[in-house]
């Protein structure tokens, strides 16, 4: 049995902007509908959505048969939590609230096997290793891990160069909502200084040879981020898509 390839890393090799959708509804039917919709990637949001570990696992299994890359955003950078996700088969992480190079280095240590990192070995219990059915899993698993850290505070942007220099970090995802809050502009998603900070950060990330990502629902900002070089952009959220369709349908009959 072969080690599953990281679909997100493969998609990045196409050198185009990859567009994706946030998944916050734990029902696997929603995940399957999204997986058949044509997105490049889907992010399972364990940070803000009501997912338990079993719910993330269910989504991963549901998405697996379809040609779309699964990403997972854990609630935090706890190595014990990251270990659980690794064992269940998560290969691409978007880890929130990383403000320093030291935090980024700790994330890298948690997701890679020695000597690159400190990930613990437990392959007989791991879906990732197909329960010891993937030959030499421990020698090749590191090659399929993609580590994206989130910069979403003023402090993170001040430390961006150092974060980008951390070995094992593939890229940085800009979190615009928390960044706005950190700048004293909470809820002001269209603020010009926020936009400048985001676009300058994307350019800096790309100049460092790393992957740049962001979530924005603003069409003009989507285009600006793509032109700045963003590799992957979240442009939709399942809860909002459903809510908008429900309200539009009801309004049309009243």
């Amino acid at each position: 049995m072969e080690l599953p390839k990281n679909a997100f890393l493969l998609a990045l090799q196409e050198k185009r902007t990859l567009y994706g959708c946030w998944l916050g509804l734990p029902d696997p039917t929603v995940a399957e509908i999204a997986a058949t919709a044509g997105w490049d990637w889907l992010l399972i949001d364990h940070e803000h959505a009501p997912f338990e570990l079993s719910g993330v696992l269910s989504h991963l299994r549901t998405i697996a048969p379809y040609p779309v890359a699964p990403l997972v955003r854990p609630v935090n950078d706890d190595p014990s939590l990251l270990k659980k996700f690794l064992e269940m088969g998560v290969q691409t992480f978007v880890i929130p609230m990383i403000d320093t190079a030291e935090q980024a280095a700790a994330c890298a240590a948690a997701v890679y096997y020695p000597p690159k990192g400190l990930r613990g070995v437990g392959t007989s219990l791991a879906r990732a290793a197909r329960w010891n059915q993937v030959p030499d899993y421990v020698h090749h698993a590191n090659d399929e891990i993609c580590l994206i850290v989130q910069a979403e505070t003023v402090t993170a942007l001040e430390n961006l160069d150092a974060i980008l220099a951390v070995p094992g970090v593939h890229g940085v995802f800009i979190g615009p909502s928390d960044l706005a809050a950190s700048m004293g502009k909470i809820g002001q998603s269209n603020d010009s200084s926020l936009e400048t900070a985001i676009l300058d950060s994307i350019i800096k990330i790309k100049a460092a040879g790393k992957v740049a990502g962001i979530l924005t629902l603003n069409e003009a900002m989507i285009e600006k981020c793509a032109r700045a070089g963003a590799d992957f952009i979240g442009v939709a959220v399942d809860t909002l898509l459903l809510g908008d369709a429900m309200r539009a349908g009801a309004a049309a009959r009243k």
Side-chain angles (χ1 to χ4, degrees):
M1 189 170 291
E2 294 184 356
L3 173 67
K5 295 296 183 181
N6 186 322
F8 188 65
L9 287 176
L10 290 173
L12 287 170
Q13 294 177 13
E14 298 175 15
K15 301 298 182 183
R16 62 180 177 84
T17 304
L18 305 175
Y19 295 97
C21 180
W22 236 245
L23 299 182
L25 294 168
D27 190 315
T29 300
V30 176
E32 190 159 22
I33 292 170
T36 62
W39 297 106
D40 294 309
W41 54 270
L42 299 170
L43 184 141
I44 305 166
D45 194 354
H46 180 256
E47 182 189 15
H48 287 294
F51 281 99
E52 301 295 339
L53 291 177
S54 59
V56 175
L57 177 57
S58 179
H59 264 40
L60 290 171
R61 286 174 168 158
T62 299
I63 293 168
Y66 300 102
V68 59
L71 287 61
V72 170
R73 179 164 71 171
V75 68
N76 56 38
D77 59 349
D78 183 342
S80 297
L81 176 63
L82 299 182
K83 183 191 300 184
K84 291 283 191 182
F85 282 133
L86 287 160
E87 305 298 57
M88 70 172 63
V90 176
Q91 293 178 315
T92 300
F93 292 88
V94 179
I95 302 183
M97 288 294 179
I98 302 302
D99 285 340
T100 67
E102 290 75 18
Q103 283 180 284
C107 291
V111 301
Y112 296 112
Y113 281 129
K116 189 173 182 179
L118 300 172
R119 177 184 174 185
V121 180
T123 54
S124 63
L125 301 175
R127 174 179 179 267
R130 297 302 184 259
W131 305 277
N132 269 351
Q133 295 184 90
V134 176
D136 292 326
Y137 172 81
V138 295
H139 296 112
H140 302 291
N142 285 354
D143 298 334
E144 302 303 328
I145 297 299
C146 180
L147 175 60
I148 308 292
V149 298
Q150 279 194 236
E152 42 193 338
T153 66
V154 171
T155 300
L157 296 193
E158 291 172 346
N159 292 322
L160 189 54
D161 288 329
I163 291 171
L164 289 167
V166 173
V169 171
H170 288 79
V172 173
F173 183 95
I174 304 299
S177 296
D178 282 299
L179 179 57
S182 177
M183 295 172 65
K185 300 177 182 295
I186 190 167
Q188 300 178 41
S189 60
N190 295 321
D191 181 82
S192 59
S193 59
L194 174 65
E195 178 180 306
T196 298
I198 290 170
L199 297 176
D200 286 351
S201 296
I202 291 173
I203 292 169
K204 180 177 287 189
I205 294 164
K206 294 303 298 175
K210 297 296 179 78
V211 174
I214 189 168
L215 169 66
T216 176
L217 309 184
N218 181 286
E219 285 295 333
M221 192 60 177
I222 290 169
E223 292 301 318
K224 289 178 182 179
C225 289
R227 287 198 299 269
D231 297 278
F232 70 112
I233 305 176
V235 297
V237 181
D238 60 357
T239 53
L240 298 182
L241 290 172
L242 178 61
D244 288 346
M246 287 286 191
R247 287 184 288 271
R253 298 296 178 264
K254 292 183 178 179

